[in-house]
């Protein structure tokens, strides 16, 4: 289970996912341009963010002659450039791929189309086979908050903001008014208070 | 600037592994989560959100008519998302907090200069760095500390609500209990890897 970060209480929710696929030179140019556009115009990332299960994703293009080469190390002689997709997701593998194929098929196809023998995101069966062939398991994964999903983190940040505001604003209130304002706080945060934590041993 | 997204830096590095060291390195990496109570030595490096180590010793063959690519070296892929604007921040924190583990991992890699010179180590990481073309971060401006505090507040408030439901305090008691909760939340600081 080296793909999954853990802590003392059990395995965490975040799972690392690494896929390395070969591309030809023309594909490399196109993919670099596309990734540059996605990076430059953050609005293009909104759909991925709406899925709410991707804390981090790295897309990396390495040209065949750009693998790091240190003193005394033989140079790589490769036939292809390589695209590294390194993501972290919350939840099981199958639904993750299906959600990608359902919701993000357009950007996914635009980028992975240039990888050798990429089958396209739909239907999802061939995509899963392709990913299995090119997926590499992590040997160690770490998360500073392994028990928290993306939704947990978002909710936590919001709870903290509102709670700080409430603590400031309610300090001098009379008890009755304080109780009313506390109820109001709970109503605004009621959907953000679920429990979280790692999967117990 | 794709290595950077908001306040976060996404480092991706490929470190060539010394000949004959791949199995030992992989075995060591695979024991880390059991060896450390918080699941990783990186829990001591307070700027790190997430990280992974992956030993890459082959490239998948795509089937006919694709060509077979064979690596001449094996590589340690290290991808790390941390609070900061350069690799120097990560190096400084790792040298300060997990020097032995850093040495044990990277001494299996070619060209590792040791940890005596931080500048030398930064140069080494830069040599092995590959540019992250696109770094997606869900919370680009929240630090590790912000997120841990947020989660702790969320848990604290949840427990407080359960307490209120069980004890049904008067408004005066509710205000007093909340003041105690607030005081406790100011005093406790969660550690990375605890939540």
């Amino acid at each position: 289970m080296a793909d999954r970060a853990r802590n003392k209480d059990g395995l965490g929710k975040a799972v690392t996912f690494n896929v390395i696929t070969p591309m030809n030179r023309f594909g490399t140019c196109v993919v670099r341009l596309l990734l540059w556009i996605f990076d430059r115009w953050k609005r293009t990332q909104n759909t991925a963010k709406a899925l709410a299960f991707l804390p981090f994703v790295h897309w990396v293009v390495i040209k065949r002659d750009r693998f790091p080469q240190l003193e005394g190390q033989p140079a790589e002689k490769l036939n292809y450039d390589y695209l590294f997709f390194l993501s972290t997701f919350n939840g099981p593998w199958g639904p993750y791929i299906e959600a990608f194929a359902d919701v993000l098929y357009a950007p996914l196809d635009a980028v992975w189309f240039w990888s050798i023998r990429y089958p396209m995101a739909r239907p999802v069966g061939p995509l899963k086979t392709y990913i299995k062939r090119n997926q590499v398991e992590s040997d160690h994964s770490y998360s500073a908050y392994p028990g928290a999903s993306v939704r947990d983190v978002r909710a936590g940040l919001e709870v903290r903001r509102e709670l700080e505001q409430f603590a400031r604003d309610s300090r001098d209130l009379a008890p009755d008014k304080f109780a009313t304002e506390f109820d109001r706080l709970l109503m605004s945060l009621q959907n953000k208070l679920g429990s979280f934590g790692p999967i117990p041993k | 600037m794709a290595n950077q997204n908001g306040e976060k830096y996404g480092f991706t590095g490929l470190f060539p592994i010394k000949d004959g060291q791949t199995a030992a390195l992989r075995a060591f990496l695979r024991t880390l989560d059991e060896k450390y109570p918080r699941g990783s030595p990186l829990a001591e490096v307070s700027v790190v959100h997430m990280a992974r180590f992956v030993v890459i010793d082959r490239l998948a063959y795509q089937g006919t008519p694709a060509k077979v690519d064979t690596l001449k070296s094996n590589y340690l892929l290290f991808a790390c998302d941390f609070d900061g604007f350069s690799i120097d921040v990560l190096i400084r924190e790792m040298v300060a907090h997990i020097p032995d583990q850093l040495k044990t991992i990277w001494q299996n890699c070619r060209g590792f200069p040791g940890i005596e010179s931080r500048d030398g180590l930064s140069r080494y990481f830069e040599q092995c760095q590959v540019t992250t073309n696109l770094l997606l971060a869900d919370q680009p401006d929240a630090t590790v500390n912000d997120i841990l505090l947020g989660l702790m507040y969320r848990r604290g408030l949840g427990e407080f609500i359960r307490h209120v439901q069980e004890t049904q305090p008067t408004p005066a008691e509710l205000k007093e209990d909340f003041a105690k909760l607030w005081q406790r939340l100011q005093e406790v600081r969660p550690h990375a890897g605890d939540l």
Side-chain angles (χ1 to χ4, degrees), chain B residues 5-85:
Chain B
N5 189 342
E7 305 282 315
K8 295 203 172 73
Y9 193 94
F11 175 82
T12 315
L14 278 177
F15 298 84
I17 301 170
K18 287 177 185 168
D19 293 341
Q21 295 296 106
T22 302
L25 175 58
R26 178 174 274 152
F28 178 74
L29 292 170
R30 294 249 168 180
T31 63
L32 287 176
D33 60 344
E34 289 294 336
K35 210 182 282 182
Y36 291 88
R38 293 187 174 96
S40 175
L42 288 164
E44 301 305 318
V45 186
S46 61
V47 294
V48 176
H49 288 261
M50 290 185 182
R52 76 194 67 193
F53 290 96
V54 188
V55 171
I56 297 173
D57 54 5
R58 65 174 183 91
L59 295 167
Y61 174 55
Q62 307 302 317
T64 315
K67 295 172 186 155
V68 179
D69 262 346
T70 309
L71 289 169
K72 290 193 190 306
S73 301
N74 296 336
Y75 294 86
L76 173 65
L77 168 73
F78 175 56
C80 182
D81 303 292
F82 61 93
D83 296 324
F85 292 89

Side-chain angles (χ1 to χ4, degrees), chain A residues 121-134:
Chain A
R122 292 174 169 182
V124 75
L127 175 68
K128 285 182 173 176
T129 306
Y130 183 76
I131 287 173
K132 275 181 192 158
R133 183 163 69 233
N134 293 290

Side-chain angles (χ1 to χ4, degrees), chain A residues 3 15-21 85 87 89 93-94 96-97 112 127-138, chain B residues 52 54-56 58-60 62:
Chain A
D3 274 339
V15 184
T16 56
F17 178 79
N18 316 306
V19 180
I20 303 172
T21 53
F85 175 69
S87 83
F89 66 94
W93 188 90
Y96 170 62
I97 306 295
W112 260 342
L127 175 68
K128 285 182 173 176
T129 306
Y130 183 76
I131 287 173
K132 275 181 192 158
R133 183 163 69 233
N134 293 290
Q135 191 173 352
V136 186
E137 193 187 354
S138 294
Chain B
R52 76 194 67 193
V54 188
V55 171
I56 297 173
R58 65 174 183 91
L59 295 167
Q62 307 302 317

